[in-house]
Amino acid sequence: MNEFSDSRIRAFRRRRSQWRNRSGFSPDYLRTSRITSELWHRSGLCVNRCPDRLQLVAIELRCHNDAVPAPVTRLMLVAHARTDAMRTGRFPGDEPLDDAGLRDLEAVTDLPRADRVLSGPETRSISTAQVFGTEISVEPALADIDYGRWSGLEMTDLPDADAMAWLSDPAFVPPGGESLDALFSRVEKWLSAVGSTPGRTLTVTSPAVVRAVVVLVLDAPIRSFWRIDVSPLTRTSVSHRGGVWTVGAVAQKFV
């Protein structure tokens, strides 16, 4: 009996059509294209002779079965709700949400679906994350910039030279704090790790970390950090598939 019965041939043809629709290449093109030899090699068939029609069907079917879709990581970054430092324009420390921030959290009803919820270590991030899940993992890499002895100060309190250096030199370190270069380094390492975790991850962190993620995903220069506006209690979506990050939305409001 022939290895390929009529019913199996019909099934193969249906699968060929599905494969063609997903790949963008028709089976007829495969017979004459440069990738035919690669398909023969992957199928284990002899490449020294032209396969007949049934062999081509088998090749295409095997390659279709091998083409498993790449896993997708969907990452939603939520900027924590408002704090007093945000309202007054001060460099933040580890402070709680203010009354306006708490009211905004109470108004959030559109809770996104997530397989896991992560939070930066600050009180303001953890308090915000509790709205989105009961099992929260604190991730140190999601911490806000360490402003050192600048915490609690306004930009106008700084010496002019320090203020200019902070806004123009990513390597500049506030006294006892952390540079933008250091922020980007730890966020990049964390982003690489989370990109290998398929599923939906929701993170609550500072606007600075959200901005750093957007710059890294776009492969933009660090100076672009200052050109991205992320308001409190907004969501930014990025996804990772096949080794590539893509931006879906930036700083969308919940309320």
Side-chain angles (χ1 to χ4, degrees), residues 101-123:
L102 292 172
R103 287 195 299 270
D104 289 343
L105 273 182
E106 292 175 356
V108 174
T109 57
D110 181 19
L111 299 180
R113 180 165 59 90
D115 300 315
R116 61 197 67 86
V117 178
L118 308 180
S119 172
E122 295 87 2
T123 301

Side-chain angles (χ1 to χ4, degrees), residues 7 32 36 41 53 67 78 84 88 96-97 109 112 144 163 176 192 228 245:
S7 61
T32 57
T36 304
H41 176 74
R53 181 165 183 164
V78 177
D84 185 65
T88 58
L97 304 178
T109 57
D144 197 357
S192 177
I228 300 172
W245 282 100

Side-chain angles (χ1 to χ4, degrees), residues 122-144:
E122 295 87 2
T123 301
R124 57 190 183 273
S125 291
I126 295 173
S127 298
T128 303
Q130 290 171 347
V131 172
F132 300 97
T134 55
E135 297 183 6
I136 301 166
S137 298
V138 174
E139 173 52 65
L142 295 174
D144 197 357

Side-chain angles (χ1 to χ4, degrees), residues 2-253:
N2 194 313
E3 179 185 359
F4 297 92
S5 65
D6 290 343
S7 61
R8 292 186 67 185
I9 291 175
R10 287 194 295 270
F12 285 162
R13 287 173 177 167
R14 287 195 299 270
R15 298 292 291 276
R16 289 173 69 203
S17 177
Q18 294 170 358
W19 191 90
R20 176 195 59 211
N21 292 338
R22 295 178 185 178
S23 68
F25 296 103
S26 70
D28 289 338
Y29 173 79
L30 293 178
R31 295 193 185 99
T32 57
S33 72
R34 289 179 296 175
I35 67 173
T36 304
S37 60
E38 179 184 347
L39 295 179
W40 293 353
H41 176 74
R42 289 176 57 188
S43 70
L45 296 176
C46 177
V47 298
N48 294 323
R49 59 186 179 87
C50 179
D52 61 24
R53 181 165 183 164
L54 291 180
Q55 286 178 309
L56 280 169
V57 171
I59 292 171
E60 291 155 12
L61 179 58
R62 292 175 193 174
C63 292
H64 168 71
N65 290 337
D66 290 342
V68 178
V72 181
T73 298
R74 302 188 188 281
L75 176 61
M76 178 174 290
L77 301 123
V78 177
H80 62 69
R82 193 177 304 275
T83 67
D84 185 65
M86 287 179 157
R87 181 176 57 82
T88 58
R90 292 182 288 109
F91 292 103
D94 189 1
E95 58 185 20
L97 304 178
D98 65 9
D99 292 340
L102 292 172
R103 287 195 299 270
D104 289 343
L105 273 182
E106 292 175 356
V108 174
T109 57
D110 181 19
L111 299 180
R113 180 165 59 90
D115 300 315
R116 61 197 67 86
V117 178
L118 308 180
S119 172
E122 295 87 2
T123 301
R124 57 190 183 273
S125 291
I126 295 173
S127 298
T128 303
Q130 290 171 347
V131 172
F132 300 97
T134 55
E135 297 183 6
I136 301 166
S137 298
V138 174
E139 173 52 65
L142 295 174
D144 197 357
I145 299 176
D146 182 357
Y147 295 100
R149 294 195 291 275
W150 286 3
S151 295
L153 301 180
E154 298 181 18
M155 183 70 79
T156 54
D157 295 326
L158 305 181
D160 290 345
D162 284 358
M164 289 299 297
W166 174 243
L167 296 174
S168 60
D169 182 5
F172 178 81
V173 182
E178 179 182 33
S179 68
L180 275 184
D181 279 343
L183 169 70
F184 271 73
S185 177
R186 64 175 163 86
V187 171
E188 185 174 23
K189 291 178 182 177
W190 171 81
L191 193 61
S192 177
V194 79
S196 62
T197 307
R200 297 175 183 271
T201 299
L202 186 147
T203 67
V204 180
T205 184
S206 69
V209 172
V210 178
R211 291 154 70 185
V213 168
V214 173
V215 172
L216 287 165
V217 168
L218 293 177
D219 199 21
I222 292 182
R223 64 177 180 272
S224 303
F225 176 89
W226 301 112
R227 303 180 65 182
I228 300 172
D229 187 18
V230 176
S231 300
L233 203 54
T234 56
R235 50 188 166 185
T236 295
S237 301
V238 298
S239 60
H240 183 268
R241 170 180 256 171
V244 177
W245 282 100
T246 304
V247 175
V250 176
Q252 290 185 322
K253 292 185 177 181

